[in-house]
Amino acid sequence: MKVFVTGGAGFIGSTYVRSLLAGAYPGYEDAEVTVLDKLTYAGNRANLPAHHPRLTFVRGDVCDLGLLRDLLPGHDAVVHFAAESHVDRSLTDASAFVTTNVGGTQVLLDAAVSTGVPRFVHISTDEVYGSIEHGSWDENCPLLPNSPYAASKAASDLIARSYWRTHGLDLSVTRCSNNYGPHQHVEKLIPRFVTNLLNGEPVPLYGTGGNVREWLHVDDHCRAVQLVLTRGRAGETYNVGGGDERTNRQLTDLLLDLLGADPALVRYVTDRKAHDVRYALSDRKLREELGYAPQVDFAHGLAETVAWYRDNPGWWKPVRDAAQGGERR
Ligand code: NAD
């Protein structure tokens, strides 16, 4: 079994690859893994082992058709995580989001079809559905993305589906809620708040802090991806939810508690443009068809995540310094 993982040096992709290499997924204990990652500001080679007998790491771009045509032959599956992933960045400049998330996905699909890769899983997000005040989305709900990030992901989902319908590619799409866990870039809410609080610095909370997000541990997301890879049906989309719903204020209070930090460090800041009020997924299809059930309790997973950042300043301090250098430029 040979698995081609794009974006495998990022937060979720690297968690998936480390699990594969650790033999965490039945039937894939001997899988060989090729990671293709551009190592943008969000990618970190240190998220993966420097050397592993079953890992090949290639620095490259999913928009590079020639490279993909060289690399893909012989692989049994593509798991496509690579993307520009930060909503806030898409509000100031959406160009890389369209280039990588839309164009890159199309190029990767073309390469998969032309080289005869038998299976493809496209990783997407609940944000493609927009915002929902009550109830939850199932996979048949309309796509109403509100940010350029979400719109680029929605576009890539539709292009992916069209390659199943047009070319008969054996392809499934996953749409997951907000992930948390170790190795997440410090620009994202939980790592940003944790590392600010560890430094005794204020944390910026958008608007009133009332926005609701459904948090799922990254290990649960990766287990779901593997279930879909091995047992998902072609042409189908699977929501990956089952996480814990919290307002951003409630989440902030938990982080303050876990770190013993002063609540006065919370600063309310001008809300994000077009900030989605609430996301909520129905994951019934994944549970009923594929037997999915999340395993990581939120309180436990969050405490472990905070502990990981506390114990690994050598991982996040350079990332944070680079990000702050970028903000100053
Ligand atoms: P991330 O930003 O941590 O990682 C993205 C990775 O993709 C990085 O390693 C980056 O270097 C790489 N990359 C970017 N552009 C590339 C290109 N042109 N060619 C090759 N590699 C490139 O993102 P993440 O949080 O790990 O998200 C992974 C996927 O999961 C994305 O598709 C995202 O939309 C989706 N997703 C994320 C969440 C979440 O909460 N983080 C939730 C649902 C879905």
Side-chain angles (χ1 to χ4, degrees):
M1 187 64 62
K2 268 187 101 169
V3 186
F4 190 87
V5 181
T6 71
F11 165 47
I12 305 172
S14 72
T15 306
Y16 177 72
V17 171
R18 289 193 307 276
S19 300
L20 263 181
L21 296 177
Y25 302 134
Y28 280 64
E29 292 86 352
D30 300 325
E32 290 172 42
V33 185
T34 304
V35 168
L36 176 72
D37 197 295
K38 190 176 174 182
L39 296 181
T40 67
Y41 78 95
N44 189 339
R45 182 63 184 85
N47 286 343
L48 296 170
H51 303 285
H52 190 286
R54 292 189 284 111
L55 173 67
T56 304
F57 181 86
V58 179
R59 184 172 192 177
D61 195 325
V62 290
C63 301
D64 185 342
L65 182 61
L67 176 66
L68 290 168
R69 281 198 175 137
D70 282 346
L71 293 174
L72 279 175
H75 286 86
D76 299 292
V78 170
V79 185
H80 179 35
F81 292 96
E84 289 291 333
S85 69
H86 192 38
V87 174
D88 283 350
R89 287 177 183 259
S90 79
L91 305 182
T92 50
D93 183 358
S95 54
F97 290 76
V98 175
T99 303
T100 288
N101 300 1
V102 186
T105 299
Q106 171 258 312
V107 171
L108 182 63
L109 288 162
D110 272 338
V113 169
S114 66
T115 57
V117 175
R119 178 85 179 116
F120 194 115
V121 178
H122 173 66
I123 309 300
S124 190
T125 167
D126 58 358
E127 301 195 29
V128 298
Y129 296 117
S131 185
I132 188 166
E133 277 193 41
H134 307 287
S136 57
W137 295 294
D138 68 21
E139 291 81 356
N140 295 317
C141 285
L143 303 186
L144 292 169
N146 290 319
S147 70
Y149 160 67
S152 69
K153 293 296 293 187
S156 68
D157 291 14
L158 297 179
I159 291 171
R161 184 182 176 281
S162 78
Y163 274 68
W164 160 70
R165 189 83 177 116
T166 307
H167 300 293
L169 182 63
D170 181 350
L171 172 144
S172 308
V173 176
T174 63
R175 294 191 182 131
C176 190
S177 57
N178 276 34
N179 283 213
Y180 71 96
H183 296 94
Q184 187 172 28
H185 193 281
V186 296
E187 69 187 357
K188 302 286 170 58
L189 193 150
I190 290 178
R192 179 158 188 200
F193 280 24
V194 171
T195 57
N196 277 18
L197 293 172
L198 284 169
N199 273 358
E201 294 168 12
V203 291
L205 196 54
Y206 278 136
T208 61
N211 302 67
V212 177
R213 296 292 179 265
E214 185 182 354
W215 292 96
L216 186 73
H217 194 278
V218 65
D219 286 340
D220 281 325
H221 183 189
C222 290
R223 275 188 280 271
V225 167
Q226 185 64 13
L227 266 181
V228 171
L229 171 67
T230 51
R231 295 179 32 217
R233 285 183 293 135
E236 294 292 325
T237 295
Y238 295 89
N239 287 345
V240 185
D244 200 288
E245 244 188 68
R246 306 266 164 164
T247 67
N248 287 343
R249 178 69 225 200
Q250 289 168 335
L251 174 66
T252 305
D253 288 340
L254 279 176
L255 296 175
L256 291 167
D257 272 357
L258 284 167
L259 287 156
D262 183 354
L265 287 170
V266 178
R267 302 276 194 279
Y268 288 94
V269 298
T270 309
D271 207 356
R272 173 190 273 172
K273 281 186 196 169
H275 201 177
D276 289 331
V277 174
R278 177 172 172 265
Y279 302 135
L281 287 174
S282 162
D283 59 4
R284 199 170 150 186
K285 181 173 171 181
L286 187 64
R287 285 178 190 262
E288 291 185 356
E289 266 188 34
L290 305 185
Y292 163 77
Q295 295 177 11
V296 184
D297 164 73
F298 182 66
H300 182 73
L302 192 67
E304 272 192 358
T305 301
V306 168
W308 186 86
Y309 282 94
R310 188 194 289 121
D311 296 343
N312 289 280
W315 183 90
W316 59 263
K317 283 198 167 161
V319 179
R320 199 171 189 268
D321 289 348
Q324 288 177 342
E327 276 169 20
R328 280 195 292 273
R329 281 197 298 276

